[in-house]
Amino acid sequence: MTAIGMRHPMLDGLAKATGRQLYAGDLAIEGLAEAVLVTSPHPHARILSVEDSAALADPAVLGVFWHANMPPHRYNSSIWFEGQEADADEAMFPDTARHIGDRVAVVVATGRAAAERAAARLVVRYDPLPACLTPDEADRARGPLFDAAGAPTFLNPVDERHFARGDAEAGFATATHLSETTVATPKSHHCAIEPHVALALPEPDGRICVMAPCQSVHAVQVVVARALGLKAADVHAIKTPIGGSFGGKAEPVLEPIAAELARRLGRPVRLACDRRQTFSSTRMRSSTVTRIRTALAADGRILARDTETLIDIGAYVTGGNWLPGSMLQRHVRLYDIPAERYSGRAVYTNTPPTGAFRGYGSPQINAAGEISLDIAAVRAGLDPVAVRLANAVRPGAIEPYSGLNVGNARLHDCLATGAETFGWHARRAAPRGQGRWRSGVGMAAAAHVNGCFPGSDESTTMTMRLLPGGRIEMVSALHDLGCGSNTTLAQIAAEVLGLAPADLRIVEADTDLCGYDLGTRASRMTYVQGEATRKTALALDRAVREAGARVLNTAPEDLMLAGGRLARRDGGEALDLPTLARHLARAGLPLPAATETHAATANPSSHAAHFAEVRVDTLTGLIRVTDYLAVHDIGRAINPMLVEGQIHGGIQIGIGMALCEDVANDPQTGRMGGDSFARYILANSLDMPPIAVRLVEAGEPTGPFGAKAVGEIATIPVAAAVVNAVNHALGTELSRLPLVPHRVLDALEPEAGPGASRGER
């Protein structure tokens, strides 16, 4: 191997590190106008009027737009392709605001400062309405989602999913140990460095071009078209470089508004959120409350499990109606449990809408499953690793909900390797401390999907062609989110073509250039796009050899591509690719090109086992993660350096979920406590522990060179591993995340005798 398995730096890394990379907010376009949103201060209120005379008095202001003068078309921002049906309850500007931060109006001016001044001068009249701010309250507001006229009612549940396998009651009746736990996970935000932004401009042919840091240009195309009442072909979508997403830019939020403003004004318009609006007016991770009953045999086998989860999806459906089923699919991929019951319900509340966030429901359901399993094991006097080993899904198992084969699943290897490398048994048995400082270790496992198969749209088309200068151009719906997936794909192509990754020129996703692809989501880039890359590179290799055979007067099978040269296998004459391109051009022959469509035929699991050590200050309730090991079933690492980077980043997000991250919507007012980087607490560099990574590379037959995903699963087991370590340190059963200090201290309160201070514990 010359490219696969190499620690190659990101192709765009230098441009980013030196500040030369231009993002959507940096683009300078002649005649560009700037737009600023005005958002609701109420969690639920009718918007009666917008008084704009003071704003329009400024000659720099080009217009003020709200529901009275904008298209009323309802749409769902989470659709992926033309013809897809989904619950359409969202409009560019609703006549009734449904959460604090909901879109009320937009001001357009010749510059950002003028637009901000004008936005501050708008006078909006509201009629406040009763708000439903907690999922328990929402769960009682039941009824159909749409009325007889087709208007959304915002009643519940938005979706519910039920599943049963085996005889759960028999499992509970014969169990040696029964355990029940309720785990709560918070709403959390993506915190990408780049705020949300969209840029739109009219094109000479009458279409509207939308440029945005998106995860699917085809989703942008169809959502914008529906919001504006256009045909999808009337919208041209281009992906711009992304300054971080983590799922937050999977849905077009600003793109429809920017497109309509550009169409209305006949000039380019950029609409950008400030940081507070990026928190309150875009998307975030759903909160959940999950109750799990577990039946264990004496040897630790799980005989039955009963799971009920309530999911707060916020003010609009977006993709929330998929969450109950998505969480179920991940939940039953991890262990071989003979009897399983599951009930999941997603409900509206008058809080900001939710969407994808690195795992799409997996971090929440995994935290619930792995914290509850740890508590059950400890109550039964069983070792948590031994319990997981006794129940780990094996290669070739059939996942019971969807009936899919989990592939070469190596969960058992992850658990065994992790326990040995971490020194689990010795560290678990070590003294935890009796004074102010307590130490403990915990672990958790996880499973995740590789794509959306068997969905009918799980395919991708790629074109590769030789350019006149000798480089190879790759054209597909490629959406690197800043994590280096384009570099990974270039390494796959380079391996097949005998080139260096830098010899590949990757074209950003553009609906005018690339075939349909559902985008970067569901951990599908390496597994699905990577296999499309490999197949297309093989086809281009044949095309290059056939073209070279004419120049070198030999058979194509006698030639090979290696080191950027087309050479005879017998060591004879050779020519490099620029020379080949010149020969073909002089002869009037087309340069070699190849187009291949790859449709996924499987959806194997990626697995992981994570191990954490923590230190807890019982005086302050503060927790520090002091050591961490992540073991991942990766199939094969195309670029071990990028794989490790993904795992490190995933651990940072998971530690935040466990210990500090919470947008903290007030259940009385709906106000968001954490709506800026000054108020939303993240795990920063000083909070990060030493991290060791071990990769299990047993190969996945249907993946490119045996590879499968790591991007989302990197964060899924983290929160549970950290919480389980805290519970081990303190002898508690904490299960409401995040473990902020007051929750830790409340759990420790029984330790203090009458009159004792926390400093004496």
Side-chain angles (χ1 to χ4, degrees):
M1 293 289 179
T2 59
I4 300 301
M6 300 295 110
R7 304 175 73 86
H8 197 283
M10 289 198 297
L11 296 176
D12 58 358
L14 185 60
K16 290 177 176 177
T18 57
R20 290 186 289 107
Q21 179 70 72
L22 295 180
Y23 297 91
D26 303 319
L27 299 178
I29 297 175
E30 185 177 357
L32 179 66
E34 300 281 0
V36 170
L37 283 178
V38 175
T39 61
S40 172
H42 302 286
H44 196 200
R46 277 187 287 269
I47 302 161
L48 301 178
S49 65
V50 175
E51 172 54 51
D52 58 8
S53 57
L56 292 173
D58 185 340
V61 175
L62 302 174
V64 175
F65 302 90
W66 59 302
H67 75 77
N69 59 2
M70 287 287 269
H73 308 295
R74 287 194 296 267
Y75 58 92
N76 184 304
S77 59
S78 193
I79 56 175
W80 297 353
F81 53 87
E82 193 170 11
Q84 182 181 7
E85 296 301 323
D87 295 327
D89 60 358
E90 190 175 356
M92 280 187 277
F93 291 97
D95 57 12
T96 299
R98 290 195 35 79
H99 66 93
I100 293 176
D102 207 352
R103 302 183 295 267
V104 172
V106 64
V107 179
V108 191
T110 55
R112 176 83 186 184
E116 289 176 344
R117 287 195 303 269
R121 292 172 184 154
L122 293 185
V123 178
V124 183
R125 289 182 58 238
Y126 297 94
D127 176 19
L129 300 170
C132 183
L133 298 171
T134 66
D136 284 337
E137 180 186 359
D139 200 28
R140 296 190 290 271
R142 297 201 163 216
L145 294 183
F146 295 87
D147 64 20
T153 64
F154 298 103
L155 296 173
N156 290 303
V158 172
D159 186 73
E160 57 185 330
R161 198 63 53 93
H162 302 279
F163 174 74
R165 177 198 188 198
D167 190 340
E169 289 306 319
F172 285 109
T174 58
T176 305
H177 306 285
L178 295 176
S179 179
E180 181 173 325
T181 306
T182 298
V183 178
T185 66
K187 282 191 173 181
S188 52
H189 200 265
H190 308 85
C191 296
I193 295 175
E194 178 193 32
H196 281 243
V197 58
L199 192 151
L201 55 157
E203 293 191 335
D205 58 5
R207 297 190 306 162
I208 295 294
C209 176
V210 181
M211 304 172 67
C214 62
Q215 293 185 211
S216 170
V217 290
H218 293 96
V220 169
Q221 185 181 49
V222 68
V223 171
V224 169
R226 291 200 184 177
L228 273 61
L230 303 175
K231 297 177 182 178
D234 294 330
V235 179
H236 175 201
I238 302 172
K239 176 207 172 267
T240 60
I242 293 183
S245 175
F246 314 108
K249 293 163 185 167
E251 297 179 15
V253 176
L254 304 181
E255 290 89 336
I257 302 170
E260 175 62 16
L261 296 176
R263 182 172 73 154
R264 188 78 62 89
L265 298 172
R267 63 187 293 171
V269 176
R270 176 164 46 214
L271 173 59
C273 287
D274 60 24
R275 182 60 62 184
R276 191 163 269 111
Q277 289 172 341
T278 295
F279 270 88
S280 64
S281 305
T282 60
R283 301 290 183 263
M284 61 184 63
R285 177 178 283 153
S286 298
S287 65
T288 62
V289 178
T290 305
R291 179 194 60 82
I292 297 182
R293 293 175 63 217
T294 306
L296 292 178
D299 61 0
R301 286 179 299 113
I302 305 172
L303 301 178
R305 182 171 62 177
D306 187 4
T307 303
E308 182 177 3
T309 187
L310 184 62
I311 309 159
D312 178 358
I313 66 166
Y316 297 103
V317 170
T318 68
N321 57 325
W322 297 336
L323 274 171
S326 175
M327 291 166 67
L328 166 59
Q329 184 192 33
R330 278 67 156 173
H331 194 43
V332 299
R333 275 197 170 214
L334 189 55
Y335 301 118
D336 181 11
I337 301 175
E340 187 100 54
R341 275 201 307 248
Y342 174 93
S343 175
R345 297 188 308 287
V347 295
Y348 285 119
T349 59
N350 291 117
T351 61
T354 63
F357 186 171
R358 203 165 186 177
Y360 206 77
S362 292
Q364 300 99 303
I365 196 65
N366 186 265
E370 289 295 277
I371 292 169
S372 65
L373 182 58
D374 232 63
I375 290 173
V378 171
R379 288 175 180 175
L382 298 170
D383 176 70
V385 172
V387 169
R388 289 169 173 85
L389 284 167
N391 295 283
V393 69
R394 297 285 182 165
I398 301 300
E399 180 256 287
Y401 172 56
S402 64
L404 293 171
N405 191 306
V406 300
N408 192 17
R410 293 290 170 168
L411 174 59
H412 192 280
D413 294 352
C414 291
L415 291 164
T417 299
E420 180 180 0
T421 304
F422 192 70
W424 169 261
H425 297 292
R427 294 169 82 163
R428 186 78 174 180
R432 291 175 282 178
Q434 298 297 320
R436 173 178 172 179
W437 304 98
R438 312 285 177 85
S439 297
V441 294
M443 57 83 53
H448 199 60
V449 296
N450 277 255
C452 296
F453 179 82
S456 59
D457 56 335
E458 186 50 291
S459 65
T460 193
T461 298
M462 179 173 287
T463 295
M464 292 186 191
R465 59 176 62 91
L466 177 64
L467 298 175
R471 295 181 72 191
I472 302 298
E473 182 180 72
M474 292 172 56
V475 179
S476 187
L478 302 178
H479 297 81
D480 191 323
L481 305 186
C483 58
S485 60
N486 281 355
T487 303
T488 298
L489 298 181
Q491 286 181 251
I492 292 171
E495 183 65 45
V496 174
L497 296 169
L499 303 173
D503 293 329
L504 279 294
R505 176 181 180 270
I506 296 176
V507 177
E508 291 277 21
D510 181 328
T511 53
D512 275 8
L513 302 177
C514 63
Y516 174 75
D517 180 85
L518 58 85
T520 298
R521 60 183 93 233
S523 291
R524 60 183 298 277
M525 282 301 289
T526 296
Y527 180 72
V528 178
Q529 282 274 17
E531 183 61 6
T533 301
R534 190 187 70 85
K535 289 182 174 179
T536 309
L538 286 170
L540 182 64
D541 175 76
R542 290 192 295 272
V544 169
R545 286 188 288 108
E546 288 170 358
R550 290 192 287 269
V551 174
L552 296 173
N553 195 27
T554 188
E557 56 269 22
D558 293 335
L559 298 174
M560 62 180 292
L561 266 172
R565 296 169 61 81
L566 191 63
R568 292 178 182 271
R569 295 183 185 276
D570 60 10
E573 186 180 359
L575 72 164
D576 58 28
L577 293 182
T579 303
L580 173 61
R582 288 195 297 272
H583 275 294
L584 295 173
R586 284 198 297 268
L589 297 172
L591 298 184
T595 298
E596 292 287 322
T597 296
H598 168 64
T601 58
N603 191 336
S605 291
S606 294
H607 286 94
H610 284 204
F611 297 77
E613 179 185 70
V614 300
R615 193 178 191 216
V616 186
D617 182 348
T618 63
L619 177 63
T620 64
L622 293 171
I623 299 162
R624 185 171 186 84
V625 183
T626 54
D627 195 17
Y628 206 93
L629 169 68
V631 186
H632 278 262
D633 163 27
I634 190 72
R636 184 170 196 168
I638 303 297
N639 186 323
M641 181 173 66
L642 297 185
V643 168
E644 291 166 7
Q646 284 288 286
I647 294 170
H648 282 235
I651 291 168
Q652 184 269 341
I653 288 176
I655 289 175
M657 179 180 174
L659 301 183
C660 54
E661 291 195 43
D662 188 353
V663 300
N665 290 114
D666 188 299
Q668 303 301 318
T669 66
R671 293 189 182 92
M672 187 184 296
D675 62 356
S676 68
F677 284 157
R679 297 166 60 88
Y680 185 90
I681 308 303
L682 290 159
N684 61 34
S685 60
L686 297 178
D687 299 317
M688 293 299 289
I691 296 172
V693 174
R694 298 290 182 272
L695 302 180
V696 176
E697 298 186 83
E700 187 61 54
T702 53
F705 296 102
K708 53 188 175 184
V710 73
E712 291 182 288
I713 196 171
T715 202
I716 293 169
V718 183
V722 172
V723 171
N724 292 340
V726 172
N727 282 332
H728 176 244
L730 302 178
T732 53
E733 294 186 350
L734 288 159
S735 60
R736 183 176 183 82
L737 280 60
L739 302 187
V740 291
H742 77 82
R743 289 179 181 150
V744 174
L745 296 177
D746 288 347
L748 289 172
E749 200 63 46
E751 288 191 13
S757 72
R758 288 191 177 115
E760 295 172 313
R761 286 202 293 271

